[in-house]
Amino acid sequence: MPSYKLTVAYIGTEYCGFQVQPNGPTIQGELMKAGISLFGEDVTVTGASRTDSGVHAKGQVVVLKGSKDIPARKVPMAMNVRLPDDIVIVDAQPVADLWHPRYCNHHKTYEYKIFNGAIQFPQDKKDSYHFKRQLDIGAMKEAAAKYVGTHDFESYSSSGKSTEDTIRTIYWVDITEVRPDMLSVRVCGNGFLYNMVRIMVGTLLDVGVGKIDQGTIECSLSERNRALAGHTAPAHGLTLLEIDYMDEKEKDRV
Amino acid sequence: MPSYKLTVAYIGTEYCGFQVQPNGPTIQGELMKAGISLFGEDVTVTGASRTDSGVHAKGQVVVLKGSKDIPARKVPMAMNVRLPDDIVIVDAQPVADLWHPRYCNHHKTYEYKIFNGAIQFPQDKKDSYHFKRQLDIGAMKEAAAKYVGTHDFESYSSSGKSTEDTIRTIYWVDITEVRPDMLSVRVCGNGFLYNMVRIMVGTLLDVGVGKIDQGTIECSLSERNRALAGHTAPAHGLTLLEIDYMDEKEKDRV
């Protein structure tokens, strides 16, 4: 059964998240429908990241398996004509049958956009959080640097499952003023707990307005207590930018 | 009767252009409805630029006159709650009763975005033109430089009114690769004929693929013949960025 690694971009606004569920349209559901139309009934769609309702992606990775053998280079166009306008397959590569987008070693990069002016442009409403209070960006950067490294991020999870492994490694956090009124927070790590990026961003905003101090950030990483971290920033500011599979790079190098 | 100079941003996708017309919703129509709800029946709305169906704006200028006296600083919020999500008043200033957004001396800046990769991201579909053929950007820049100055732009107009004054001054044209797959063409001038920016961009794209040469660009500016210019690029790539009123700056300086 041919397997394809698809790179998928979408605007999450109209969807109840990535994963199929009974209450409304999902990205996985739309990919299934398009896949069945192209490959026939026997299709599976497995995502690297189960993005939440309202979260966007430019580089989600999905494995699609279908029983028909279609050249990978033809898959994006053939899928795109079967998909709604707000979901696009930007790349397709053949992968081994056992290749799994979550179990293969990878880095994920997310971007969270914060509009920090008085009145938000309509062009920015769908993918940036309108945060009106004045921010101390220097303090936010200082706090963000504390996330880098391997930590127990239990305080930064909404899952509530105490059995879960909550150790994650953050490679870098980058806070940039992309415009005088727009802040971009980019985070790269080896994996993220449920709502982890949104709680990190909410916490950084709480630092930016002086509600949380640098010492509390350190405690939040040593004490496994959700109450020590800040609020959960809303979904629509978040975009899954890229998932980088290191094993493949090693292969390329050989 | 109080007059306000409003700076208006909108996503033009769902509208039949700026100017009120019977066939569908318009920006002016929505501004009238919101204005009547806020100021009462006796409202006029005059735009600086009659943007086409599908064209966007970040800095359209509109004069709104209403019979109620509301402080200008309160007008944006009060209008925005009455407007659809894709139209936003970003600024309001009081102006003299006789101040007219088209007859006062100004510079207008437009941006046209061209997506020049194989597969367009959903995030770029609404405001960039997907042009797939490879472009000679150097040739496009060389041609763009010829537009700068005062010329008869009759060849760059769809209006067909031979009586119209077709002399315009272009201050600068700037072509930038904002991303490896995205080109931004920005044009600043003292005024633009009907479809002029879109024909300029279509012509530059025709230069980029070698369909029109530099000599033809020169002829198109000396010969008043629409056939010498290129195709009209589609509306959805165009955004009215800014309208800059010089008289006000002079006033500020005093």
Side-chain angles (χ1 to χ4, degrees), chain B residues 9 16 30 34 39 44 47 50 55 77-78 111 124 136 149 179 188 193 196 198 214 231 233 237 241 251-252:
Chain B
C16 302
E30 297 299 323
F39 288 90
T44 67
R50 302 188 195 96
V55 172
M77 288 303 192
E111 177 176 42
D124 298 320
D136 179 345
R179 294 193 328 233
C188 178
L193 305 169
M196 180 169 152
R198 290 167 54 191
Q214 306 293 334
H231 73 286
L241 279 191
K251 243 188 335 195
D252 286 349

Side-chain angles (χ1 to χ4, degrees), chain A residues 9-11 56-59 76-77 80 84-91 118-127 132 179 239, chain B residues 9-11 56-59 76-77 80 84-91 118-127 132 179 239:
Chain A
Y10 46 83
I11 298 172
H56 319 289
K58 289 184 177 167
M77 288 302 193
N80 289 338
D85 255 10
D86 47 11
I87 305 177
V88 170
I89 312 293
V90 293
D91 187 54
I119 300 177
Q120 195 176 23
F121 283 83
Q123 285 83 352
D124 297 322
K125 280 184 182 175
K126 268 199 182 163
D127 71 349
K132 293 182 191 175
R179 296 192 329 232
T239 299
Chain B
Y10 46 84
I11 299 173
H56 319 289
K58 288 183 177 169
M77 288 303 192
N80 289 337
D85 256 10
D86 46 11
I87 306 176
V88 170
I89 312 294
V90 292
D91 186 55
I119 301 177
Q120 197 176 24
F121 282 83
Q123 285 84 354
D124 298 320
K125 280 184 183 175
K126 268 197 182 165
D127 70 351
K132 292 181 191 177
R179 294 193 328 233
T239 299

